[in-house]
């Protein structure tokens, strides 16, 4: 049996915590968000993997399963996972441990504004932006938060903005190529 890193190198703030605190409502809430996020990310990644490995889908964008409700369900799961983990741990936080909120904030900001959604939206817009079916998919499917297209599609632009459909995610449409011969199957 290997000793845990906390036993080898105990941290003073962690030693001040109760040895085995009971589960609180925030623990259960955080655990639910963590499990939801982990499941969402795993399912979305598996669906995209299967989609891309099917030769019939060559040159198409993924719009099956969770991808038909969110253009980035794997990122939604990742964000949910890290916030759930932080909420679960927060029931024993004191003093400087609250600063650990930097972790989920950093992950969220990175995916929303830097290397996640902006880069993928830009490349997808450039590749498929000339295809009316892609433009319809983009208008009807939530960028991040999984919602049924019948609910999300008719929402006004202001409501979509609140659901993180940010204008910066459409910059690639200005440079869109003409429609490619292989497009997504009809919905």
């Amino acid at each position: 049996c290997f000793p845990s890193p906390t036993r080898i190198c105990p941290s003073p703030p962690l030693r001040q915590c109760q040895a085995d605190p009971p589960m609180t409502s925030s623990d259960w809430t955080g655990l639910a968000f963590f499990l939801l996020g982990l499941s969402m990310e795993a399912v979305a990644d598996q669906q995209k993997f299967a989609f891309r490995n099917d030769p019939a889908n060559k040159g198409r964008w993924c719009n099956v399963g969770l991808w038909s409700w969110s253009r980035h369900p794997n990122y939604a799961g990742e964000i949910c996972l890290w916030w759930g983990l932080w909420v679960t741990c927060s029931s024993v936080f004191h003093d400087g441990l609250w600063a650990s909120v930097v972790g989920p904030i950093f992950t969220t900001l990175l995916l929303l504004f830097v290397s996640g959604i902006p880069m993928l939206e830009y490349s997808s817009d450039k590749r498929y932006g000339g295809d009316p079916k892609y433009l319809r998919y983009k208008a009807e499917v939530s960028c991040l938060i999984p919602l049924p297209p019948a609910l999300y599609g008719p929402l006004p632009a202001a409501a979509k903005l609140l659901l993180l459909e940010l204008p910066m995610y459409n910059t690639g449409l200005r440079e869109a190529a003409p429609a490619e011969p292989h497009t997504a199957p009809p919905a």
Side-chain angles (χ1 to χ4, degrees):
C1 181
F2 294 101
S4 75
T6 55
R7 290 186 186 184
I8 294 171
C9 182
S11 168
L14 291 177
R15 285 186 294 194
Q16 295 173 9
C17 296
Q18 183 179 343
D20 191 16
M23 293 282 282
T24 65
S25 59
S26 70
D27 292 329
W28 290 110
T29 301
L31 180 61
F33 272 90
F34 174 83
L35 293 174
L36 173 67
L38 181 64
S39 300
M40 194 179 344
E41 186 174 8
V43 167
D45 286 344
Q46 180 57 38
Q47 288 171 339
K48 191 163 193 176
F49 178 78
F51 183 88
R52 289 194 180 233
N53 282 325
D54 183 349
N57 295 326
K58 183 174 173 35
R60 297 179 178 175
W61 63 90
C62 185
N63 65 347
V64 298
L66 288 173
W67 299 88
S68 67
W69 281 30
S70 169
R71 296 194 311 269
H72 303 284
N74 53 340
Y75 291 158
E78 180 82 9
I79 291 168
C80 189
L81 177 149
W82 284 108
W83 279 104
L85 184 62
W86 185 82
V87 168
T88 299
C89 295
S90 70
S91 67
V92 295
F93 285 174
H94 55 83
D95 303 329
L97 291 176
W98 288 99
S100 64
V101 74
V102 169
I105 288 173
F106 180 75
T107 300
T108 301
L109 294 176
L110 193 64
L111 292 175
L112 291 178
F113 300 110
V114 183
S115 66
I117 295 172
M119 290 175 64
L120 289 175
E121 287 288 308
Y122 180 79
S123 64
S124 293
D125 287 353
K126 278 184 68 173
R127 185 171 183 187
Y128 305 113
D131 188 332
K133 291 178 184 174
Y134 172 76
L135 296 176
R136 187 177 74 228
Y137 169 76
K138 191 163 178 162
E140 294 176 355
V141 176
S142 170
C143 182
L144 184 67
I145 301 164
L147 291 170
L151 175 66
Y152 182 80
L155 290 175
K160 288 182 177 182
L161 184 62
L162 292 173
L163 293 170
L164 302 174
E165 185 68 53
L166 305 177
M168 67 183 285
Y169 299 154
N170 293 313
T171 58
L173 289 176
R174 292 184 216 121
E175 303 173 28
E180 295 184 7
H182 297 287
T183 58

